[in-house]
Amino acid sequence: MTDTRVTTALITGASGGIGYELARLFAKDHCNLVLVARRDAKLQEGADQLRREFGVGVKTVALDLSAAPAPQHLFDQMQLEGVAVDVLVNNAAYGKFGEFADVELDEALGQVQLNIVALTHLTKLFLGPMVERGSGKILNVASTAGFQPGPLMAVYYATKAYVISFSEALANELKPRGINVTCFCPGATDTGFPARAGMENSRLFKKIGAMNAKAVARDGYRGMINGKTLVFSGWRNWLAAESVRVTPRKIVTAVSRWVAETVE
């Protein structure tokens, strides 16, 4: 990496998908890693592969960040072990398919807790040492979903709208302090997300198709390295996000529902 101050990257949701592919890119650039995810076995497997392939230091933390005390626990552990986090990657998130009235309350609030509260909490905690050092990077993984209402995924889309707004505001506030904030907005990506959300049979994933996680991660990583505030993966996703600015909201919402609907 061009920024020699960046030595350790902490990545949440790092056991697979975009999170793991981002970890590979950081490791290739000789960064030490702290990988955080719920699935310990999968996390260890990925960490071992990164150590063998790139020879970097990899620390794993099996932690469910949707639990309210988890962000503070993670930060305290890093402080106790003397790990200075130079890059924070807030990637952990999930969605749940279905009309809001039918989605279990725990699932609805769980998305808010992980996608918004945990992300905000981690950012606040790890930002303090970055401000003291006068350097650091934060990569918040949002989604093109954040640019529009999302019937059948109402809470998920709303949480990603928060991430975009929050990140753009932070980028403005923190630039004078030497800290770069990037908000990465991928579209549909081939990861474990649709199965977890229960939308693998949606028109979006079954008919329209998803991008490769490796290629998507590369776009986000390059955008962060280049200091961009808002990054998309693929011109189609950029165009889709931009088009909602000039399209009547009722049409945007109807199209969003059509894309999410289950197909044979």
Side-chain angles (χ1 to χ4, degrees), residues 68-81:
Q72 186 69 55
H73 174 79
L74 177 60
F75 179 75
D76 290 345
Q77 183 176 339
M78 294 301 100
Q79 292 291 98
L80 185 64
E81 297 178 7

Side-chain angles (χ1 to χ4, degrees), residues 126-154:
F126 285 99
L127 180 59
M130 291 183 186
V131 170
E132 290 179 6
R133 293 193 300 268
S135 67
K137 297 180 187 296
I138 298 171
L139 176 61
N140 288 332
V141 180
S143 168
T144 53
F147 292 92
Q148 60 211 308
L152 305 180
M153 292 280 287

Side-chain angles (χ1 to χ4, degrees), residues 20 55 60 67 89 93 115 122 136 144 152 158 188 203 216-217 219 256:
Y20 180 70
T60 62
V89 180
N115 304 4
L122 287 171
T144 53
L152 305 180
R203 184 173 281 107
V216 169
D219 289 337
S256 181

Side-chain angles (χ1 to χ4, degrees), residues 59-263:
K59 182 182 296 294
T60 62
V61 182
L63 188 65
D64 182 1
L65 287 170
S66 66
Q72 186 69 55
H73 174 79
L74 177 60
F75 179 75
D76 290 345
Q77 183 176 339
M78 294 301 100
Q79 292 291 98
L80 185 64
E81 297 178 7
V83 178
V85 173
D86 302 288
V87 182
L88 173 64
V89 180
N90 283 309
N91 172 68
Y94 82 98
K96 186 62 178 177
F97 178 81
E99 293 191 355
F100 178 71
D102 301 324
V103 172
E104 293 292 335
L105 180 61
D106 287 349
E107 291 280 17
L109 296 182
Q111 292 172 73
V112 175
Q113 183 65 39
L114 180 60
N115 304 4
I116 293 180
V117 179
L119 178 145
T120 306
H121 197 174
L122 287 171
T123 300
K124 181 65 175 177
L125 292 170
F126 285 99
L127 180 59
M130 291 183 186
V131 170
E132 290 179 6
R133 293 193 300 268
S135 67
K137 297 180 187 296
I138 298 171
L139 176 61
N140 288 332
V141 180
S143 168
T144 53
F147 292 92
Q148 60 211 308
L152 305 180
M153 292 280 287
V155 175
Y156 176 76
Y157 276 55
T159 63
K160 291 305 183 178
Y162 170 87
V163 175
I164 294 169
S165 179
F166 177 64
S167 301
E168 288 186 298
L170 282 190
N172 177 275
E173 292 179 359
L174 295 173
K175 186 176 181 180
R177 301 189 182 210
I179 299 163
N180 184 73
V181 179
T182 297
C183 185
F184 180 38
C185 301
T189 307
D190 186 13
T191 67
F193 176 86
R196 171 68 178 85
M199 62 178 307
E200 59 267 55
N201 292 321
S202 67
R203 184 173 281 107
L204 175 61
F205 284 96
K206 199 167 184 179
K207 298 292 185 180
I208 299 173
M211 292 183 66
N212 175 270
K214 184 177 294 186
V216 169
R218 190 182 308 119
D219 289 337
Y221 186 76
R222 286 174 178 170
M224 181 200 70
I225 293 299
N226 291 329
K228 293 184 177 180
T229 299
L230 198 60
V231 178
F232 296 93
S233 184
W235 68 268
R236 290 180 182 177
N237 287 321
W238 171 83
L239 183 61
E242 289 297 315
S243 67
V244 304
R245 302 177 190 272
V246 295
T247 305
R249 296 297 283 176
K250 286 187 177 180
I251 294 177
V252 170
T253 305
V255 170
S256 181
R257 180 180 183 123
W258 178 81
V259 167
E261 287 174 341
T262 300
V263 295

Side-chain angles (χ1 to χ4, degrees), residues 4-63:
T4 58
R5 293 172 298 177
V6 176
T7 57
T8 299
L10 186 151
I11 306 172
T12 68
S15 61
I18 294 173
Y20 180 70
E21 295 300 335
L22 284 169
R24 290 184 59 83
L25 292 167
F26 279 105
K28 186 178 180 181
D29 277 343
H30 312 293
C31 279
N32 291 329
L33 299 168
V34 179
L35 306 182
V36 184
R38 291 180 303 138
R39 298 176 291 176
D40 186 46
K42 190 75 183 287
L43 201 57
Q44 295 294 346
E45 180 184 339
D48 289 343
Q49 177 63 32
L50 293 170
R51 293 186 191 105
R52 287 194 303 268
E53 190 170 347
F54 300 106
V56 297
V58 185
K59 182 182 296 294
T60 62
V61 182
L63 188 65

